[in-house]
Structure formats: C-alpha cells, structure tokens
Amino acid sequence: QVQLVESGGGLVQAGGSLRLSCAASGRTFSSYRMGWFRQAPGKEREFVAAIARSGRSTYYADSVKDRFTISRDNAKNTVYLQMNSLKPEDTAVYYCAAGYPKDSDVIRGYDYWGQGTQVTVSS
C-alpha cells in the first residue's frame, strides 16, 4: 500500500510556472511507475506525464510536451511536475498516481491515487 499527497497547486497567470510535488508513504515507492493526470471541470481525467521506476524514462502527453517536466527523487519518496509556460487550458485538478501500468497513459493501470491539487491559470 502507498498513500500519495499532492501539493504545490495554486493560481498563476498565463505564461507562469508551478511545481507540483507528490509525497508517497511506504518503503516501496521506488518500485512504482509514477504518473500525473489532470481533470478539468466537465471533462474526463487525462494523462499528463509518467516516469519509470528508475527515473531514466519519461512520457508526456502531446499537449504538455516541452512545457512540463516530470522527475522523481526515490530517496525522498517524491515525484515532481515542473510546469512552465502555463496556459488557461492547463487549469484542472492534478492527481499523482502509482502503479505498474502496461501503458503509462492508461488510468486503470494505476493502483493508488492522491486527492489532487487545484491548478488555475488565468488569462
């Protein structure tokens, strides 16, 4: 079992930056692939980014590629999402997830989810 707690969300102007953190409990953090997803009002939850257990491989949705960077620190049991050049369409609740997905962008492949953190980008 692992518990995930996101932080770092907030209100930012378009073009600004935010860094989200997701702290995990337990001693098995390094065994999980970690992902970030987001859900805007009235829309389905969608994949944002994922990172392999070692941190050597990363995966991104086309909509955030070259603007967002996912990273992890296994010694601190934490995964990060650095978000730059934010756009109003990035407004959503952001969730981190842990699991062993066959495909990184598939929601059902993740077993554990955080409670989410709100990101609001004003125009």
Side-chain angles (χ1 to χ4, degrees), residues 4-7 19-26 29-30 34 36 51 70-81 96:
L4 304 172
V5 179
E6 302 97 334
S7 62
R19 188 194 196 200
L20 305 184
S21 299
C22 174
S25 65
F29 174 79
S30 61
M34 299 298 297
W36 284 98
I51 187 166
I70 188 171
S71 61
R72 67 189 298 164
D73 185 337
N74 287 341
K76 295 183 178 180
N77 282 9
T78 302
V79 62
Y80 304 97
L81 186 68
C96 71

Coordinates of all heavy atoms in Angstrom, one line a residue, residues 4-7 19-26 29-30 34 36 51 70-81 96:
L4 N -0.5 8.8 -1.3 CA 0.0 9.8 -2.1 C -0.6 11.2 -1.7 O -1.8 11.3 -1.6 CB -0.2 9.6 -3.5 CG 0.3 8.2 -4.1 CD1 -0.2 8.0 -5.5 CD2 1.8 8.2 -4.0
V5 N 0.2 12.2 -1.5 CA -0.3 13.5 -1.1 C 0.3 14.5 -2.0 O 1.6 14.7 -2.0 CB 0.0 13.9 0.3 CG1 -0.5 15.2 0.7 CG2 -0.6 12.8 1.3
E6 N -0.5 15.2 -2.8 CA 0.0 16.2 -3.8 C 0.0 17.6 -3.1 O -0.8 17.9 -2.1 CB -0.9 16.3 -5.0 CG -1.1 15.1 -5.8 CD -2.3 14.3 -5.5 OE1 -2.8 14.5 -4.3 OE2 -2.8 13.6 -6.3
S7 N 0.9 18.5 -3.5 CA 1.0 19.8 -3.1 C 1.6 20.7 -4.2 O 2.1 20.2 -5.2 CB 1.8 19.9 -1.8 OG 3.1 19.5 -2.1
R19 N 5.4 24.3 -9.6 CA 6.0 23.0 -9.4 C 5.1 22.2 -8.4 O 4.9 22.5 -7.3 CB 7.4 23.1 -8.8 CG 8.2 21.8 -8.8 CD 9.4 21.9 -7.9 NE 10.3 20.8 -8.1 CZ 11.2 20.5 -7.2 NH1 11.4 21.2 -6.1 NH2 12.1 19.5 -7.4
L20 N 4.6 21.1 -8.9 CA 3.8 20.2 -8.1 C 4.7 19.1 -7.5 O 5.6 18.7 -8.1 CB 2.7 19.5 -8.9 CG 1.7 20.4 -9.7 CD1 0.6 19.6 -10.4 CD2 1.1 21.5 -8.8
S21 N 4.3 18.7 -6.3 CA 5.0 17.6 -5.6 C 4.0 16.6 -5.2 O 2.9 16.9 -4.9 CB 5.8 18.1 -4.4 OG 6.7 19.1 -4.7
C22 N 4.5 15.4 -5.1 CA 3.6 14.3 -4.7 C 4.5 13.4 -3.7 O 5.4 12.8 -4.2 CB 3.1 13.4 -5.8 SG 2.2 12.0 -5.3
A23 N 4.1 13.5 -2.5 CA 4.9 12.7 -1.5 C 4.2 11.4 -1.2 O 3.0 11.3 -1.0 CB 5.0 13.5 -0.2
A24 N 5.0 10.3 -1.2 CA 4.5 9.0 -1.0 C 4.9 8.4 0.3 O 6.0 8.6 0.7 CB 4.9 8.1 -2.2
S25 N 4.0 7.6 0.9 CA 4.4 6.9 2.1 C 4.8 5.5 1.8 O 4.6 5.1 0.6 CB 3.1 6.8 3.1 OG 2.1 6.0 2.4
G26 N 5.4 4.8 2.7 CA 5.8 3.5 2.4 C 7.2 3.4 1.9 O 7.8 4.3 1.4
F29 N 8.2 2.9 -2.7 CA 8.0 4.0 -3.7 C 8.8 3.7 -5.0 O 8.3 3.9 -6.1 CB 8.4 5.3 -3.1 CG 8.3 6.5 -4.1 CD1 7.1 7.0 -4.5 CD2 9.5 7.0 -4.7 CE1 7.1 8.1 -5.4 CE2 9.5 8.0 -5.6 CZ 8.3 8.6 -5.9
S30 N 10.0 3.3 -4.8 CA 10.9 3.2 -6.0 C 10.5 2.0 -6.9 O 11.0 1.9 -8.0 CB 12.4 3.0 -5.5 OG 12.5 1.8 -4.7
M34 N 5.3 6.1 -11.7 CA 4.5 7.2 -11.2 C 4.0 8.1 -12.4 O 4.7 8.3 -13.4 CB 5.4 8.1 -10.3 CG 5.9 7.5 -9.1 SD 4.7 6.8 -8.0 CE 3.8 8.4 -7.5
W36 N 1.3 11.5 -13.5 CA 0.4 12.7 -13.2 C -0.7 12.7 -14.2 O -0.5 12.5 -15.4 CB 1.2 14.0 -13.4 CG 2.2 14.3 -12.2 CD1 3.5 14.0 -12.2 CD2 1.8 14.9 -11.0 NE1 4.0 14.4 -11.0 CE2 3.0 14.9 -10.2 CE3 0.7 15.4 -10.4 CZ2 3.1 15.5 -9.0 CZ3 0.7 15.9 -9.2 CH2 1.9 16.0 -8.4
I51 N 6.7 8.6 -15.3 CA 8.1 8.4 -15.1 C 8.4 7.0 -14.6 O 7.7 6.5 -13.8 CB 8.8 9.4 -14.2 CG1 10.3 9.3 -14.2 CG2 8.2 9.3 -12.8 CD1 11.0 10.6 -13.5
I70 N 8.6 15.9 -15.7 CA 8.3 15.1 -14.6 C 9.7 14.5 -14.1 O 10.6 14.3 -14.9 CB 7.4 13.9 -14.9 CG1 7.0 13.1 -13.7 CG2 8.0 13.0 -16.0 CD1 5.9 12.1 -13.9
S71 N 9.8 14.4 -12.8 CA 11.0 13.9 -12.2 C 10.7 13.2 -10.9 O 9.6 13.4 -10.4 CB 12.1 15.0 -12.0 OG 11.6 16.0 -11.1
R72 N 11.6 12.5 -10.3 CA 11.4 11.8 -9.1 C 12.7 11.7 -8.3 O 13.8 11.7 -8.8 CB 10.8 10.4 -9.3 CG 11.8 9.4 -9.9 CD 11.0 8.1 -10.3 NE 10.5 7.4 -9.2 CZ 9.6 6.4 -9.2 NH1 9.1 6.1 -10.4 NH2 9.1 5.8 -8.2
D73 N 12.5 11.7 -7.0 CA 13.6 11.5 -6.0 C 13.2 10.3 -5.2 O 12.4 10.4 -4.2 CB 13.8 12.8 -5.2 CG 15.0 12.7 -4.3 OD1 15.5 11.6 -4.0 OD2 15.5 13.7 -3.9
N74 N 13.8 9.2 -5.5 CA 13.4 7.9 -4.7 C 13.9 8.0 -3.3 O 13.3 7.3 -2.4 CB 14.0 6.7 -5.5 CG 13.2 6.4 -6.7 OD1 12.0 6.9 -6.9 ND2 13.8 5.6 -7.6
A75 N 14.9 8.7 -3.0 CA 15.4 8.8 -1.6 C 14.4 9.6 -0.8 O 14.3 9.4 0.4 CB 16.8 9.5 -1.6
K76 N 13.6 10.5 -1.4 CA 12.7 11.3 -0.7 C 11.2 10.9 -0.9 O 10.3 11.5 -0.5 CB 12.8 12.8 -1.1 CG 14.1 13.5 -0.8 CD 14.1 14.9 -1.2 CE 15.4 15.6 -0.8 NZ 15.5 17.0 -1.2
N77 N 11.1 9.8 -1.7 CA 9.7 9.2 -1.9 C 8.8 10.3 -2.5 O 7.7 10.4 -2.2 CB 9.1 8.7 -0.7 CG 9.6 7.3 -0.3 OD1 10.6 6.8 -0.9 ND2 9.0 6.7 0.7
T78 N 9.3 11.1 -3.5 CA 8.6 12.2 -4.0 C 8.7 12.2 -5.6 O 9.8 12.0 -6.1 CB 9.1 13.5 -3.4 OG1 9.0 13.5 -2.0 CG2 8.3 14.7 -3.9
V79 N 7.6 12.6 -6.2 CA 7.6 12.8 -7.6 C 7.2 14.2 -7.9 O 6.4 14.8 -7.1 CB 6.7 11.8 -8.4 CG1 5.3 11.9 -7.9 CG2 6.9 12.0 -9.9
Y80 N 7.8 14.9 -8.9 CA 7.5 16.3 -9.1 C 7.0 16.5 -10.6 O 7.2 15.7 -11.5 CB 8.8 17.1 -9.0 CG 9.5 16.9 -7.7 CD1 10.6 16.0 -7.6 CD2 9.2 17.7 -6.6 CE1 11.2 15.8 -6.4 CE2 9.8 17.5 -5.4 CZ 10.9 16.6 -5.3 OH 11.5 16.4 -4.1
L81 N 6.3 17.6 -10.7 CA 5.9 18.0 -12.1 C 6.2 19.5 -12.2 O 5.5 20.3 -11.6 CB 4.4 17.7 -12.3 CG 3.9 18.0 -13.7 CD1 4.5 17.0 -14.7 CD2 2.4 17.9 -13.8
C96 N -1.6 12.7 -8.7 CA -0.5 11.8 -9.0 C -1.0 10.4 -8.7 O -2.0 10.2 -8.0 CB 0.8 12.1 -8.2 SG 0.6 11.8 -6.4

